[in-house]
Amino acid sequence: MVSQDEGHRRDPAPLDRAGLAEALRPFGESRMLPRAAYVDPAVFEWERRHFFGGGWICVARGDQLPEPGDQRAEATGTGGVLLVRAEDGALRAFANTCRHRGHELLPCGEAARARLIRCPYHAWTYTLAGDLRAAGSFKNVRGFEFGEWGLHQLPVTEWHGLVFVDTSGGLAGSLGEALAKLDEIVAPYEPERLVTAGRHSYDAAANWKILTENYHECYHCPSIHPELCRVSPPKSGENYAADGAWVGGWLDLRDGMATMSLSGSSGGVPLRGLDQQGLRTVIYVNILPNVLLSLHPDYVMTHRLTPVAADQTRIECTWAFAPEAVARPGFDPDYAVEFWDITNRQDWRACESVQRGLCSPQASPGPLAPDEDAVYSFVTTIARGYLGQIAWGPVT
């Protein structure tokens, strides 16, 4: 979540105030964000500092660090974070920078397993708790105190199997409070219990917000998603009331369809915590700023977005299933993976075309259709953040 410190409030984004005011008008009268929000490198750099480098951000899944000694580095805003599973099983997060000369402790996107953290540059070595253990040539240096040169630790928490780090260093408030209402919706699906059995990575030539806005509406579904429309009516369901920390809603499954797959049938088992309504709906929620969490009757799909540039986003997509389904002989996750890989690629092509269209100097913010109320919730949240207000966090 975006930091709530006063410094953030005094530093608005380099965007036209009148354009943001248009985005913040009442639903039915408002416009999309100014064109520069999607194409201007200066706006993107502001977002990296404030949206992705000034509060809670999802950096991994807990199952990527299952054992003591597991280490993983990920990009966050303008820096990086090193995640470590400690000997006691607790997860710790450190700024991915050695206290000697600032070398990365592990390249972003890479993983390792070791009983110590060792900088590859000059071999400064730290415990899994971040304490400096060895620093060649400094052992007998007068005034050098090992206890003063431990790694910079960051707040970290696991929420339903997702790992979040507070890149502000503790200024962003409680993640649990910010997601309290969403927790009630997600808990029956038990994502932390599920087993990841499918994984794809994508690189989309589109701004991260375009991808998220596309996720928040099915107005486009009849035009580009024939497979989806066969199993789920695009005008079914509705959206949740805006909460600030997340945006989302749900769609129904058609009669006779068990899940989102090309045939509508499931190759897994229903998730054990769901009631009859849960078995007939698919929930789509965006945890700001970078998670798209799709909850199905028999699996959970997660998109984690990593903005690379104003017009480039990396997407990690995973599919998780009930452990009893994965343990069955012959289990194949492709029934879900293939369906969504087709749908994802349809979405990325559309989003990339939006990005190219917005590069035109003649592009201007358009209106929102009645079906795009969740897009409105997302856009207004972002617009408030651009103005230096608290963009998202606990609702008071």
Side-chain angles (χ1 to χ4, degrees), residues 164-175:
F164 289 82
V165 170
D166 178 4
T167 53
S168 73
L171 299 172
S174 166
L175 180 70

Side-chain angles (χ1 to χ4, degrees), residues 85-276:
R85 184 72 67 182
E87 295 290 351
D88 60 2
L91 193 63
R92 292 191 172 88
F94 306 101
N96 189 21
T97 177
C98 181
R99 294 300 307 280
H100 175 220
R101 294 267 294 280
H103 196 285
E104 289 178 316
L105 300 163
L106 193 65
C108 284
E110 293 192 9
R113 178 175 291 176
R115 301 184 69 177
L116 294 167
I117 302 166
R118 184 178 182 273
C119 176
Y121 196 16
H122 297 99
W124 276 39
T125 304
Y126 307 84
T127 69
L128 298 181
D131 301 317
L132 181 62
R133 172 68 63 82
S137 302
F138 279 87
K139 186 174 182 180
N140 298 313
V141 172
R142 180 179 297 178
F144 183 84
E145 298 291 339
F146 274 62
E148 297 177 359
W149 294 98
L151 298 176
H152 291 298
Q153 192 161 352
L154 297 170
V156 61
T157 189
E158 294 185 66
W159 185 86
H160 289 297
L162 297 175
V163 177
F164 289 82
V165 170
D166 178 4
T167 53
S168 73
L171 299 172
S174 166
L175 180 70
E177 291 180 16
L179 299 180
K181 292 182 181 178
L182 179 59
D183 185 77
E184 299 173 6
I185 296 169
V186 173
Y189 291 83
E190 301 180 288
E192 65 278 12
R193 173 180 178 265
L194 307 185
V195 176
T196 300
R199 182 180 295 103
H200 275 323
S201 293
Y202 305 92
D203 288 293
N207 186 276
W208 66 278
K209 297 185 299 299
I210 292 174
L211 300 174
T212 304
E213 290 160 2
N214 175 83
Y215 180 81
H216 281 312
E217 50 91 0
C218 215
Y219 183 31
H220 69 275
C221 291
S223 299
I224 70 170
H225 294 317
E227 295 84 4
L228 185 150
C229 292
R230 279 198 293 268
V231 295
S232 179
K235 290 186 176 294
S236 63
E238 59 184 273
N239 294 311
Y240 297 104
D243 184 85
W246 58 277
V247 178
W250 72 91
L251 293 175
D252 296 327
L253 290 167
R254 292 191 185 277
D255 291 343
M257 303 296 174
T259 192
M260 302 294 270
S261 69
L262 293 175
S263 67
S265 61
S266 173
V269 299
L271 301 182
R272 65 183 187 180
L274 302 186
D275 57 18
Q276 285 302 309

